[in-house]
Amino acid sequence: MIRVEAESFRLAEVFTISRGSRTEARVLTVRIERDGLTGRGECVPYARYGETIESVAAQIAGLPGGIDRDALQSALPAGAARNAVDCALWDLEAKRRGTRVWTLAGLAAPGPMETCFTLSLDTPERMRAAAARNAHRPLLKIKLGTPDDMARLEAVRAGAPNARIVVDANEGWTAEVYSDLAPHLLRLGVQMVEQPLPAGQDDLLAEIARPLPVCADESCHDRASLPALRGKYDMVNIKLDKTGGLTEALALRDAARAEGYRVMVGCMVGTSLAMAPAVLVAQGAEVVDLDGPLLLAEDRATPLAYDAAGVHPPEAALWG
């Protein structure tokens, strides 16, 4: 039996990107019950990809109760619905076999990974203050994506002079804005820029200078996305809500590396249950952005552990 439930988790602070703000993480939790055992998965429906809580819940509700992971890959497209079900099936299989998911997947036992901490889009003054509060963190990710981002960049660097920085424009720049900002990104020590141009308009990235690595986010969903990225991007951001689960995320990671891309593993704003399978994909990634639980005021029972070493693999009581 497959059960799906909409849940909300309060954020510690308002979270803003170039497309809007939120005060809570709205997620769907999937529970698959078989033979007295329950596997769990979580997804975050994303309006940017035409998803709503209701539409994704309907996709999940339409699945046969006994579906397995192989059949699931063709039963649903890449996206949030398939992600939650795929991860719940991995969790269920681990429980049935009395082992951990990484063993089932033929992976080495995971360890902690350093993760970004995200500063949401705000006024330069508030972003400087947020950077100063988090200056002890080794890697900050800055949400940008407006024509007026130079002051924000300067403010964050002033607030956190020693932190490494990556920037996420969330499709908010034009080629001209990016070209103007790029020298300043380098001057301020930014190490990577994520999705500067809108997906579908990113052919221009093949025609302009890319003085620092450019990472595909909205332009990269699953392995089928890779051919269109050639010559435009240096990295890909793998998110399970885009790939449609752990199964495809692992396959995309391997395919991207085989084609010479560096790997980032990211997340939507969700709970520890959503991050847990992504920790497996993140092993060995050049950039890890699995800070969703750090942005929450409330989380799951048995949450992921975060400390100076980064985000740790999940306990079996949470997932996997």
Side-chain angles (χ1 to χ4, degrees), residues 6-198:
E7 298 186 86
S8 294
F9 294 82
R10 290 181 296 109
L11 301 186
E13 298 178 355
V14 177
F15 186 78
T16 301
I17 66 172
S18 60
R19 283 189 285 270
S21 301
R22 69 187 75 179
T23 59
E24 62 182 3
R26 298 188 67 211
V27 310
L28 286 173
T29 305
V30 166
R31 294 174 175 85
I32 301 179
E33 302 170 5
R34 294 175 190 167
D35 303 323
L37 299 172
T38 301
R40 298 193 305 162
E42 177 185 313
C43 68
V44 181
Y46 200 40
R48 167 65 181 80
Y49 305 133
E51 298 173 335
T52 65
I53 291 284
E54 295 75 18
S55 69
V56 172
Q59 284 181 292
I60 295 167
L63 291 171
I67 197 165
D68 62 22
R69 277 193 297 110
D70 288 340
L72 177 67
Q73 305 311 307
S74 57
L76 287 177
R82 196 175 78 190
N83 174 33
V85 178
D86 184 74
C87 291
L89 287 169
W90 276 107
D91 187 37
L92 180 64
E93 186 175 353
K95 287 181 168 67
R96 291 176 66 179
R97 297 197 184 191
T99 189
R100 299 306 305 269
V101 163
W102 48 85
T103 301
L104 294 176
L107 304 172
M113 294 294 298
E114 178 184 273
T115 181
C116 297
F117 182 81
T118 303
L119 305 182
S120 70
L121 186 68
D122 210 326
T123 65
E125 296 76 18
R126 289 178 178 172
M127 291 185 76
R128 176 173 180 160
R133 289 195 301 274
N134 292 283
H136 63 285
R137 301 183 188 275
L139 182 59
L140 297 178
K141 176 175 170 175
I142 314 173
K143 289 288 189 179
L144 297 175
T146 78
D148 307 310
D149 282 335
M150 192 62 242
R152 294 184 174 94
L153 281 165
E154 298 276 10
V156 169
R157 178 47 83 202
N162 298 318
R164 298 182 353 259
I165 292 175
V166 296
V167 163
D168 184 3
N170 280 119
E171 305 180 278
W173 292 338
T174 63
E176 292 75 19
V177 168
Y178 171 63
S179 294
D180 288 344
L181 285 175
H184 299 288
L185 297 175
L186 289 171
R187 173 176 60 83
L188 293 168
V190 173
Q191 297 189 345
M192 178 270 285
V193 60
E194 191 179 343
Q195 199 70 42
L197 307 186

Side-chain angles (χ1 to χ4, degrees), residues 7 9 27 29 40 42 271-273 299-303 318:
E7 298 186 86
F9 294 82
V27 310
T29 305
R40 298 193 305 162
E42 177 185 313
T271 77
S272 285
L273 180 58
D299 197 0
R300 305 279 183 179
T302 321
L318 174 66

